[in-house]
Amino acid sequence: MSQPLRHDEGAEASTSEALLVEPSRLSRGRRVLGVVLRSRELSIFLVLVAVVVAATARNSGFLFSADGWRNFLLNPSILLLLAVGQATVIITRNVDLSVGSVMALTAYLTGRLFIDVPGIPVVVVFAAGLAAGALLGLVNGVLVSLARVPSLVITLGTLYAYRGIMLTWAGSERINAGDLPAGFLALANRSVLTVPVLTLVALAVLAVVGYYLYTARGGRELYAIGSDPDAALLYGLGVRRRVMAAFVLSGALAGLAGVVYTARYGTVSSSVGSGFELQAVAAVVIGGVAIFGGSGTVWGAAIGAFLLVTINRALPSLGIADFWQRAVWGALILGAIVLDRVLAARQARRLVRARDVA
């Protein structure tokens, strides 16, 4: 004969049953919407698809043409590289505002290497761009980690310092396509299975960094540091070393972006990279990386980069003035931040309810 349930057992059972039954009471549409909102990457991807569909419906050449498809894949590659590095830094609860200036310096360095060292291998130039960017990123990392000065202040200072070095070095000179070897410029036109080579380079970097952050212990420690730097320090994690490494990675990828920029456009002036630091931050935030660190993925940042660049191409074809392009960017950033706060508050309430039930 079964024993009757005690009052607390019955309450616990009924509560558990309620929790199990609750989701099934929602309509299928609301359940799908909930999944989309919880997956920031999926929601941003669906927005990207909607923009592409709207632009293509207005002008089929936007995507279904050789140049349209190529530009859709190739144009975001530079911002994608910057966004991946920026996302890694923001995950640690920091920010790197110097990436545009780093990109400018390495872009000009690329041109000078080809001019001053005739016959230099393209691979060596790519390596030099990575190394120069990593060195500039190391300066940021050392100042932030050892001097304990907020990264916003440090990288704002190096933004202007690096830009000043660029202006002093380049002056009024301009690197032109005629100064660069044809083999290097051909990288912008080469494709593998209709995917541009420069895009494949950016996607390879995305895959490596994304895999490291998701699987490696060092990658998970970056998330732990961003979630609570003080707790991570007490736990014994190498907070300074990890933060420094994040800035080095951001600088290296900005350096690589400078080389890719030179190969893509063939010309370099002193204004290269201006405003790219804010675009990188915007792509990361829109892609679902929490501005306060500890959550988000580089995959979302990459989709955010694609979305921003695609919007720039799509809105003119839809007959929307240039002014509204920036307005749409601002709306997306505000929407991403509000959504992040709403989802975080909802998750906190769920944890409280689960703890009360337990």
Side-chain angles (χ1 to χ4, degrees):
M1 184 174 180
S2 60
Q3 296 294 327
L5 290 173
R6 297 197 311 271
H7 175 71
D8 57 346
E9 290 177 339
E12 187 173 320
S14 62
T15 303
S16 301
E17 290 173 0
L19 290 174
L20 291 173
V21 173
E22 183 72 19
S24 64
R25 295 177 180 175
L26 299 175
S27 66
R28 182 175 180 179
R30 291 187 63 184
R31 291 200 303 271
V32 171
L33 179 61
V35 171
V36 171
L37 291 178
R38 284 194 297 271
S39 175
R40 296 290 298 278
E41 293 84 358
L42 178 59
S43 61
I44 297 302
F45 178 74
L46 292 178
V47 173
L48 173 61
V49 171
V51 171
V52 172
V53 169
T56 305
R58 184 69 177 269
N59 177 16
S60 61
F62 179 83
L63 189 64
F64 297 116
S65 67
D67 289 338
W69 173 250
R70 175 174 169 273
N71 289 332
F72 173 72
L73 294 178
L74 183 59
N75 289 349
S77 58
I78 297 170
L79 184 57
L80 189 154
L81 290 170
L82 296 177
V84 169
Q86 189 72 254
T88 307
V89 171
I90 291 180
I91 284 172
T92 66
R93 199 178 289 193
N94 290 285
V95 68
D96 186 356
L97 297 181
S98 69
V99 291
S101 299
V102 173
M103 172 182 152
L105 275 170
T106 55
Y108 192 74
L109 172 65
T110 299
R112 292 310 315 177
L113 285 174
F114 282 121
I115 294 172
D116 299 335
V117 188
I120 185 172
V122 173
V123 174
V124 174
V125 173
F126 271 90
L130 277 168
L135 180 61
L136 296 173
L138 178 62
V139 173
N140 290 331
V142 169
L143 292 175
V144 171
S145 300
L146 301 183
R148 294 181 177 274
V149 178
S151 59
L152 179 65
V153 177
I154 290 295
T155 58
L156 183 62
T158 54
L159 180 156
Y160 289 110
Y162 295 160
R163 180 64 62 176
I165 295 172
M166 170 65 179
L167 293 174
T168 302
W169 186 16
S172 59
E173 292 185 7
R174 179 188 182 98
I175 304 294
N176 298 309
D179 301 321
L180 304 174
F184 178 70
L185 294 175
L187 291 175
N189 298 317
R190 291 178 182 171
S191 300
V192 176
L193 299 177
T194 73
V195 180
V197 169
L198 296 180
T199 302
L200 290 175
V201 171
L203 293 177
V205 169
L206 171 65
V208 171
V209 176
Y211 181 79
Y212 176 80
L213 290 177
Y214 186 75
T215 62
R217 177 178 177 178
R220 306 314 299 171
E221 287 181 356
L222 292 177
Y223 283 96
I225 292 169
S227 298
D228 193 333
D230 294 331
L233 188 61
L234 291 174
Y235 188 74
L237 299 183
V239 175
R240 293 182 180 179
R241 177 167 51 87
R242 294 298 182 194
V243 170
M244 197 179 303
F247 276 101
V248 170
L249 176 64
S250 178
L253 294 185
L256 179 59
V259 181
V260 172
Y261 180 95
T262 306
R264 170 73 176 92
Y265 296 105
T267 59
V268 180
S269 64
S270 58
S271 63
V272 168
S274 297
F276 268 76
E277 55 280 334
L278 297 182
Q279 293 182 33
V281 173
V284 170
V285 173
I286 291 172
V289 178
I291 196 65
F292 297 109
S295 66
T297 65
V298 292
W299 315 106
I303 298 173
F306 263 89
L307 177 61
L308 291 183
V309 175
T310 302
I311 285 175
N312 272 357
R313 285 188 59 222
L315 293 187
S317 67
L318 296 174
I320 300 175
D322 292 344
F323 164 78
W324 290 106
Q325 296 180 27
R326 301 299 179 182
V328 170
W329 279 29
L332 286 173
I333 294 172
L334 292 176
I337 293 175
V338 170
L339 180 60
D340 181 69
R341 292 295 89 196
V342 169
L343 294 178
R346 180 179 298 179
Q347 181 66 19
R349 289 195 297 270
R350 287 178 178 174
L351 292 175
V352 170
R353 286 200 299 267
R355 185 180 61 189
D356 292 342
V357 169

PDB file of all heavy atoms in Angstrom, residues 188-220:
ATOM      1  N   ALA A 188      42.909  39.638 -53.920  1.00  0.00           N
ATOM      2  CA  ALA A 188      41.557  40.178 -53.786  1.00  0.00           C
ATOM      3  C   ALA A 188      40.605  39.623 -54.833  1.00  0.00           C
ATOM      4  O   ALA A 188      39.384  39.704 -54.671  1.00  0.00           O
ATOM      5  CB  ALA A 188      41.592  41.701 -53.874  1.00  0.00           C
ATOM      6  N   ASN A 189      41.156  39.061 -55.922  1.00  0.00           N
ATOM      7  CA  ASN A 189      40.310  38.559 -57.006  1.00  0.00           C
ATOM      8  C   ASN A 189      40.259  37.041 -57.066  1.00  0.00           C
ATOM      9  O   ASN A 189      39.426  36.493 -57.800  1.00  0.00           O
ATOM     10  CB  ASN A 189      40.832  39.091 -58.352  1.00  0.00           C
ATOM     11  CG  ASN A 189      40.778  40.608 -58.425  1.00  0.00           C
ATOM     12  OD1 ASN A 189      39.804  41.226 -58.008  1.00  0.00           O
ATOM     13  ND2 ASN A 189      41.838  41.224 -58.961  1.00  0.00           N
ATOM     14  N   ARG A 190      41.124  36.386 -56.333  1.00  0.00           N
ATOM     15  CA  ARG A 190      41.137  34.922 -56.369  1.00  0.00           C
ATOM     16  C   ARG A 190      40.037  34.343 -55.486  1.00  0.00           C
ATOM     17  O   ARG A 190      39.710  34.892 -54.441  1.00  0.00           O
ATOM     18  CB  ARG A 190      42.492  34.396 -55.912  1.00  0.00           C
ATOM     19  CG  ARG A 190      43.621  34.687 -56.896  1.00  0.00           C
ATOM     20  CD  ARG A 190      44.947  34.173 -56.368  1.00  0.00           C
ATOM     21  NE  ARG A 190      46.040  34.493 -57.284  1.00  0.00           N
ATOM     22  CZ  ARG A 190      47.319  34.315 -57.006  1.00  0.00           C
ATOM     23  NH1 ARG A 190      47.678  33.810 -55.826  1.00  0.00           N
ATOM     24  NH2 ARG A 190      48.248  34.630 -57.896  1.00  0.00           N
ATOM     25  N   SER A 191      39.490  33.219 -55.952  1.00  0.00           N
ATOM     26  CA  SER A 191      38.405  32.566 -55.211  1.00  0.00           C
ATOM     27  C   SER A 191      38.614  31.064 -55.212  1.00  0.00           C
ATOM     28  O   SER A 191      39.284  30.515 -56.093  1.00  0.00           O
ATOM     29  CB  SER A 191      37.042  32.903 -55.828  1.00  0.00           C
ATOM     30  OG  SER A 191      36.800  34.298 -55.811  1.00  0.00           O
ATOM     31  N   VAL A 192      38.040  30.426 -54.218  1.00  0.00           N
ATOM     32  CA  VAL A 192      38.016  28.965 -54.142  1.00  0.00           C
ATOM     33  C   VAL A 192      36.555  28.555 -53.985  1.00  0.00           C
ATOM     34  O   VAL A 192      35.911  28.875 -52.976  1.00  0.00           O
ATOM     35  CB  VAL A 192      38.842  28.445 -52.947  1.00  0.00           C
ATOM     36  CG1 VAL A 192      38.724  26.927 -52.848  1.00  0.00           C
ATOM     37  CG2 VAL A 192      40.293  28.869 -53.073  1.00  0.00           C
ATOM     38  N   LEU A 193      36.017  27.916 -55.018  1.00  0.00           N
ATOM     39  CA  LEU A 193      34.600  27.532 -55.025  1.00  0.00           C
ATOM     40  C   LEU A 193      33.718  28.756 -54.806  1.00  0.00           C
ATOM     41  O   LEU A 193      32.798  28.746 -53.982  1.00  0.00           O
ATOM     42  CB  LEU A 193      34.329  26.466 -53.967  1.00  0.00           C
ATOM     43  CG  LEU A 193      35.088  25.140 -54.126  1.00  0.00           C
ATOM     44  CD1 LEU A 193      34.790  24.205 -52.968  1.00  0.00           C
ATOM     45  CD2 LEU A 193      34.746  24.487 -55.454  1.00  0.00           C
ATOM     46  N   THR A 194      34.005  29.810 -55.508  1.00  0.00           N
ATOM     47  CA  THR A 194      33.286  31.099 -55.503  1.00  0.00           C
ATOM     48  C   THR A 194      33.464  31.888 -54.205  1.00  0.00           C
ATOM     49  O   THR A 194      32.874  32.964 -54.054  1.00  0.00           O
ATOM     50  CB  THR A 194      31.778  30.929 -55.767  1.00  0.00           C
ATOM     51  OG1 THR A 194      31.133  30.371 -54.614  1.00  0.00           O
ATOM     52  CG2 THR A 194      31.537  30.049 -56.984  1.00  0.00           C
ATOM     53  N   VAL A 195      34.265  31.404 -53.269  1.00  0.00           N
ATOM     54  CA  VAL A 195      34.517  32.125 -52.019  1.00  0.00           C
ATOM     55  C   VAL A 195      35.868  32.817 -52.139  1.00  0.00           C
ATOM     56  O   VAL A 195      36.884  32.154 -52.361  1.00  0.00           O
ATOM     57  CB  VAL A 195      34.516  31.175 -50.807  1.00  0.00           C
ATOM     58  CG1 VAL A 195      34.787  31.957 -49.510  1.00  0.00           C
ATOM     59  CG2 VAL A 195      33.190  30.441 -50.714  1.00  0.00           C
ATOM     60  N   PRO A 196      35.933  34.150 -51.989  1.00  0.00           N
ATOM     61  CA  PRO A 196      37.209  34.866 -52.120  1.00  0.00           C
ATOM     62  C   PRO A 196      38.256  34.363 -51.135  1.00  0.00           C
ATOM     63  O   PRO A 196      37.931  33.987 -50.000  1.00  0.00           O
ATOM     64  CB  PRO A 196      36.824  36.322 -51.825  1.00  0.00           C
ATOM     65  CG  PRO A 196      35.375  36.410 -52.151  1.00  0.00           C
ATOM     66  CD  PRO A 196      34.801  35.071 -51.790  1.00  0.00           C
ATOM     67  N   VAL A 197      39.507  34.366 -51.564  1.00  0.00           N
ATOM     68  CA  VAL A 197      40.599  33.870 -50.734  1.00  0.00           C
ATOM     69  C   VAL A 197      40.719  34.680 -49.441  1.00  0.00           C
ATOM     70  O   VAL A 197      40.939  34.129 -48.362  1.00  0.00           O
ATOM     71  CB  VAL A 197      41.933  33.917 -51.523  1.00  0.00           C
ATOM     72  CG1 VAL A 197      43.119  33.663 -50.600  1.00  0.00           C
ATOM     73  CG2 VAL A 197      41.919  32.903 -52.655  1.00  0.00           C
ATOM     74  N   LEU A 198      40.583  36.011 -49.540  1.00  0.00           N
ATOM     75  CA  LEU A 198      40.698  36.842 -48.347  1.00  0.00           C
ATOM     76  C   LEU A 198      39.586  36.538 -47.350  1.00  0.00           C
ATOM     77  O   LEU A 198      39.788  36.606 -46.134  1.00  0.00           O
ATOM     78  CB  LEU A 198      40.680  38.324 -48.727  1.00  0.00           C
ATOM     79  CG  LEU A 198      41.851  38.807 -49.577  1.00  0.00           C
ATOM     80  CD1 LEU A 198      41.722  40.295 -49.885  1.00  0.00           C
ATOM     81  CD2 LEU A 198      43.187  38.525 -48.881  1.00  0.00           C
ATOM     82  N   THR A 199      38.409  36.194 -47.851  1.00  0.00           N
ATOM     83  CA  THR A 199      37.318  35.782 -46.955  1.00  0.00           C
ATOM     84  C   THR A 199      37.650  34.461 -46.279  1.00  0.00           C
ATOM     85  O   THR A 199      37.362  34.270 -45.090  1.00  0.00           O
ATOM     86  CB  THR A 199      36.006  35.656 -47.745  1.00  0.00           C
ATOM     87  OG1 THR A 199      35.699  36.906 -48.364  1.00  0.00           O
ATOM     88  CG2 THR A 199      34.862  35.256 -46.823  1.00  0.00           C
ATOM     89  N   LEU A 200      38.272  33.546 -47.035  1.00  0.00           N
ATOM     90  CA  LEU A 200      38.677  32.265 -46.443  1.00  0.00           C
ATOM     91  C   LEU A 200      39.700  32.471 -45.337  1.00  0.00           C
ATOM     92  O   LEU A 200      39.674  31.774 -44.320  1.00  0.00           O
ATOM     93  CB  LEU A 200      39.245  31.354 -47.528  1.00  0.00           C
ATOM     94  CG  LEU A 200      38.239  30.814 -48.552  1.00  0.00           C
ATOM     95  CD1 LEU A 200      38.962  30.016 -49.632  1.00  0.00           C
ATOM     96  CD2 LEU A 200      37.192  29.936 -47.866  1.00  0.00           C
ATOM     97  N   VAL A 201      40.603  33.445 -45.521  1.00  0.00           N
ATOM     98  CA  VAL A 201      41.582  33.756 -44.472  1.00  0.00           C
ATOM     99  C   VAL A 201      40.858  34.218 -43.212  1.00  0.00           C
ATOM    100  O   VAL A 201      41.151  33.759 -42.099  1.00  0.00           O
ATOM    101  CB  VAL A 201      42.562  34.842 -44.957  1.00  0.00           C
ATOM    102  CG1 VAL A 201      43.440  35.336 -43.802  1.00  0.00           C
ATOM    103  CG2 VAL A 201      43.438  34.305 -46.084  1.00  0.00           C
ATOM    104  N   ALA A 202      39.893  35.126 -43.371  1.00  0.00           N
ATOM    105  CA  ALA A 202      39.143  35.632 -42.217  1.00  0.00           C
ATOM    106  C   ALA A 202      38.342  34.514 -41.551  1.00  0.00           C
ATOM    107  O   ALA A 202      38.282  34.431 -40.319  1.00  0.00           O
ATOM    108  CB  ALA A 202      38.220  36.763 -42.654  1.00  0.00           C
ATOM    109  N   LEU A 203      37.714  33.655 -42.348  1.00  0.00           N
ATOM    110  CA  LEU A 203      36.926  32.560 -41.783  1.00  0.00           C
ATOM    111  C   LEU A 203      37.813  31.540 -41.064  1.00  0.00           C
ATOM    112  O   LEU A 203      37.406  30.958 -40.055  1.00  0.00           O
ATOM    113  CB  LEU A 203      36.119  31.868 -42.891  1.00  0.00           C
ATOM    114  CG  LEU A 203      35.006  32.708 -43.525  1.00  0.00           C
ATOM    115  CD1 LEU A 203      34.328  31.926 -44.648  1.00  0.00           C
ATOM    116  CD2 LEU A 203      33.974  33.128 -42.477  1.00  0.00           C
ATOM    117  N   ALA A 204      39.023  31.321 -41.584  1.00  0.00           N
ATOM    118  CA  ALA A 204      39.955  30.405 -40.916  1.00  0.00           C
ATOM    119  C   ALA A 204      40.346  30.950 -39.548  1.00  0.00           C
ATOM    120  O   ALA A 204      40.395  30.207 -38.554  1.00  0.00           O
ATOM    121  CB  ALA A 204      41.197  30.198 -41.785  1.00  0.00           C
ATOM    122  N   VAL A 205      40.608  32.260 -39.477  1.00  0.00           N
ATOM    123  CA  VAL A 205      40.922  32.888 -38.187  1.00  0.00           C
ATOM    124  C   VAL A 205      39.737  32.759 -37.239  1.00  0.00           C
ATOM    125  O   VAL A 205      39.893  32.428 -36.054  1.00  0.00           O
ATOM    126  CB  VAL A 205      41.286  34.375 -38.400  1.00  0.00           C
ATOM    127  CG1 VAL A 205      41.357  35.101 -37.061  1.00  0.00           C
ATOM    128  CG2 VAL A 205      42.608  34.487 -39.141  1.00  0.00           C
ATOM    129  N   LEU A 206      38.538  33.008 -37.755  1.00  0.00           N
ATOM    130  CA  LEU A 206      37.327  32.877 -36.940  1.00  0.00           C
ATOM    131  C   LEU A 206      37.187  31.468 -36.378  1.00  0.00           C
ATOM    132  O   LEU A 206      36.877  31.287 -35.192  1.00  0.00           O
ATOM    133  CB  LEU A 206      36.108  33.236 -37.795  1.00  0.00           C
ATOM    134  CG  LEU A 206      34.737  32.946 -37.185  1.00  0.00           C
ATOM    135  CD1 LEU A 206      34.498  33.813 -35.960  1.00  0.00           C
ATOM    136  CD2 LEU A 206      33.633  33.175 -38.232  1.00  0.00           C
ATOM    137  N   ALA A 207      37.418  30.465 -37.211  1.00  0.00           N
ATOM    138  CA  ALA A 207      37.274  29.078 -36.771  1.00  0.00           C
ATOM    139  C   ALA A 207      38.284  28.723 -35.685  1.00  0.00           C
ATOM    140  O   ALA A 207      37.941  28.086 -34.682  1.00  0.00           O
ATOM    141  CB  ALA A 207      37.435  28.134 -37.966  1.00  0.00           C
ATOM    142  N   VAL A 208      39.531  29.152 -35.863  1.00  0.00           N
ATOM    143  CA  VAL A 208      40.575  28.830 -34.883  1.00  0.00           C
ATOM    144  C   VAL A 208      40.284  29.499 -33.541  1.00  0.00           C
ATOM    145  O   VAL A 208      40.322  28.863 -32.487  1.00  0.00           O
ATOM    146  CB  VAL A 208      41.964  29.249 -35.414  1.00  0.00           C
ATOM    147  CG1 VAL A 208      43.019  29.115 -34.324  1.00  0.00           C
ATOM    148  CG2 VAL A 208      42.348  28.400 -36.617  1.00  0.00           C
ATOM    149  N   VAL A 209      39.987  30.809 -33.574  1.00  0.00           N
ATOM    150  CA  VAL A 209      39.728  31.535 -32.329  1.00  0.00           C
ATOM    151  C   VAL A 209      38.454  31.019 -31.663  1.00  0.00           C
ATOM    152  O   VAL A 209      38.407  30.831 -30.443  1.00  0.00           O
ATOM    153  CB  VAL A 209      39.636  33.047 -32.593  1.00  0.00           C
ATOM    154  CG1 VAL A 209      39.266  33.800 -31.309  1.00  0.00           C
ATOM    155  CG2 VAL A 209      40.954  33.568 -33.144  1.00  0.00           C
ATOM    156  N   GLY A 210      37.415  30.791 -32.454  1.00  0.00           N
ATOM    157  CA  GLY A 210      36.164  30.282 -31.893  1.00  0.00           C
ATOM    158  C   GLY A 210      36.336  28.920 -31.250  1.00  0.00           C
ATOM    159  O   GLY A 210      35.796  28.661 -30.160  1.00  0.00           O
ATOM    160  N   TYR A 211      37.090  28.040 -31.897  1.00  0.00           N
ATOM    161  CA  TYR A 211      37.327  26.709 -31.336  1.00  0.00           C
ATOM    162  C   TYR A 211      38.126  26.806 -30.043  1.00  0.00           C
ATOM    163  O   TYR A 211      37.833  26.109 -29.065  1.00  0.00           O
ATOM    164  CB  TYR A 211      38.071  25.854 -32.354  1.00  0.00           C
ATOM    165  CG  TYR A 211      38.347  24.444 -31.891  1.00  0.00           C
ATOM    166  CD1 TYR A 211      37.348  23.467 -31.932  1.00  0.00           C
ATOM    167  CD2 TYR A 211      39.598  24.073 -31.407  1.00  0.00           C
ATOM    168  CE1 TYR A 211      37.592  22.166 -31.503  1.00  0.00           C
ATOM    169  CE2 TYR A 211      39.853  22.791 -30.974  1.00  0.00           C
ATOM    170  CZ  TYR A 211      38.844  21.839 -31.024  1.00  0.00           C
ATOM    171  OH  TYR A 211      39.096  20.559 -30.585  1.00  0.00           O
ATOM    172  N   TYR A 212      39.113  27.699 -30.026  1.00  0.00           N
ATOM    173  CA  TYR A 212      39.936  27.858 -28.815  1.00  0.00           C
ATOM    174  C   TYR A 212      39.095  28.376 -27.645  1.00  0.00           C
ATOM    175  O   TYR A 212      39.176  27.849 -26.536  1.00  0.00           O
ATOM    176  CB  TYR A 212      41.079  28.817 -29.100  1.00  0.00           C
ATOM    177  CG  TYR A 212      41.931  29.108 -27.879  1.00  0.00           C
ATOM    178  CD1 TYR A 212      42.913  28.224 -27.458  1.00  0.00           C
ATOM    179  CD2 TYR A 212      41.736  30.272 -27.138  1.00  0.00           C
ATOM    180  CE1 TYR A 212      43.684  28.476 -26.337  1.00  0.00           C
ATOM    181  CE2 TYR A 212      42.512  30.542 -26.014  1.00  0.00           C
ATOM    182  CZ  TYR A 212      43.469  29.641 -25.615  1.00  0.00           C
ATOM    183  OH  TYR A 212      44.223  29.897 -24.496  1.00  0.00           O
ATOM    184  N   LEU A 213      38.292  29.390 -27.889  1.00  0.00           N
ATOM    185  CA  LEU A 213      37.479  29.946 -26.815  1.00  0.00           C
ATOM    186  C   LEU A 213      36.471  28.932 -26.297  1.00  0.00           C
ATOM    187  O   LEU A 213      36.131  28.930 -25.109  1.00  0.00           O
ATOM    188  CB  LEU A 213      36.747  31.197 -27.294  1.00  0.00           C
ATOM    189  CG  LEU A 213      37.606  32.431 -27.566  1.00  0.00           C
ATOM    190  CD1 LEU A 213      36.746  33.562 -28.111  1.00  0.00           C
ATOM    191  CD2 LEU A 213      38.331  32.885 -26.303  1.00  0.00           C
ATOM    192  N   TYR A 214      35.982  28.063 -27.172  1.00  0.00           N
ATOM    193  CA  TYR A 214      34.928  27.124 -26.785  1.00  0.00           C
ATOM    194  C   TYR A 214      35.463  25.877 -26.109  1.00  0.00           C
ATOM    195  O   TYR A 214      34.806  25.307 -25.237  1.00  0.00           O
ATOM    196  CB  TYR A 214      34.123  26.725 -28.023  1.00  0.00           C
ATOM    197  CG  TYR A 214      32.914  25.876 -27.721  1.00  0.00           C
ATOM    198  CD1 TYR A 214      31.766  26.441 -27.167  1.00  0.00           C
ATOM    199  CD2 TYR A 214      32.903  24.501 -27.992  1.00  0.00           C
ATOM    200  CE1 TYR A 214      30.659  25.672 -26.884  1.00  0.00           C
ATOM    201  CE2 TYR A 214      31.800  23.726 -27.713  1.00  0.00           C
ATOM    202  CZ  TYR A 214      30.679  24.316 -27.158  1.00  0.00           C
ATOM    203  OH  TYR A 214      29.573  23.542 -26.878  1.00  0.00           O
ATOM    204  N   THR A 215      36.668  25.444 -26.481  1.00  0.00           N
ATOM    205  CA  THR A 215      37.149  24.147 -26.002  1.00  0.00           C
ATOM    206  C   THR A 215      38.357  24.220 -25.081  1.00  0.00           C
ATOM    207  O   THR A 215      38.503  23.389 -24.184  1.00  0.00           O
ATOM    208  CB  THR A 215      37.504  23.242 -27.194  1.00  0.00           C
ATOM    209  OG1 THR A 215      38.558  23.844 -27.955  1.00  0.00           O
ATOM    210  CG2 THR A 215      36.299  23.033 -28.094  1.00  0.00           C
ATOM    211  N   ALA A 216      39.257  25.177 -25.305  1.00  0.00           N
ATOM    212  CA  ALA A 216      40.511  25.205 -24.556  1.00  0.00           C
ATOM    213  C   ALA A 216      40.311  25.787 -23.157  1.00  0.00           C
ATOM    214  O   ALA A 216      39.434  26.628 -22.929  1.00  0.00           O
ATOM    215  CB  ALA A 216      41.563  26.017 -25.309  1.00  0.00           C
ATOM    216  N   ARG A 217      41.138  25.340 -22.233  1.00  0.00           N
ATOM    217  CA  ARG A 217      41.057  25.862 -20.869  1.00  0.00           C
ATOM    218  C   ARG A 217      41.327  27.364 -20.835  1.00  0.00           C
ATOM    219  O   ARG A 217      40.647  28.103 -20.124  1.00  0.00           O
ATOM    220  CB  ARG A 217      42.069  25.129 -19.980  1.00  0.00           C
ATOM    221  CG  ARG A 217      42.092  25.660 -18.551  1.00  0.00           C
ATOM    222  CD  ARG A 217      43.061  24.897 -17.695  1.00  0.00           C
ATOM    223  NE  ARG A 217      43.126  25.448 -16.352  1.00  0.00           N
ATOM    224  CZ  ARG A 217      43.869  24.962 -15.375  1.00  0.00           C
ATOM    225  NH1 ARG A 217      44.631  23.886 -15.607  1.00  0.00           N
ATOM    226  NH2 ARG A 217      43.862  25.528 -14.185  1.00  0.00           N
ATOM    227  N   GLY A 218      42.319  27.799 -21.607  1.00  0.00           N
ATOM    228  CA  GLY A 218      42.622  29.223 -21.646  1.00  0.00           C
ATOM    229  C   GLY A 218      41.449  30.044 -22.139  1.00  0.00           C
ATOM    230  O   GLY A 218      41.184  31.149 -21.644  1.00  0.00           O
ATOM    231  N   GLY A 219      40.714  29.514 -23.121  1.00  0.00           N
ATOM    232  CA  GLY A 219      39.545  30.216 -23.627  1.00  0.00           C
ATOM    233  C   GLY A 219      38.447  30.329 -22.587  1.00  0.00           C
ATOM    234  O   GLY A 219      37.819  31.377 -22.423  1.00  0.00           O
ATOM    235  N   ARG A 220      38.212  29.241 -21.849  1.00  0.00           N
ATOM    236  CA  ARG A 220      37.174  29.279 -20.809  1.00  0.00           C
ATOM    237  C   ARG A 220      37.586  30.209 -19.673  1.00  0.00           C
ATOM    238  O   ARG A 220      36.747  30.842 -19.033  1.00  0.00           O
ATOM    239  CB  ARG A 220      36.915  27.875 -20.256  1.00  0.00           C
ATOM    240  CG  ARG A 220      36.590  26.818 -21.281  1.00  0.00           C
ATOM    241  CD  ARG A 220      35.576  27.289 -22.298  1.00  0.00           C
ATOM    242  NE  ARG A 220      34.304  27.654 -21.686  1.00  0.00           N
ATOM    243  CZ  ARG A 220      33.317  28.247 -22.342  1.00  0.00           C
ATOM    244  NH1 ARG A 220      33.459  28.557 -23.602  1.00  0.00           N
ATOM    245  NH2 ARG A 220      32.187  28.536 -21.714  1.00  0.00           N
TER     246      ARG A 220
END
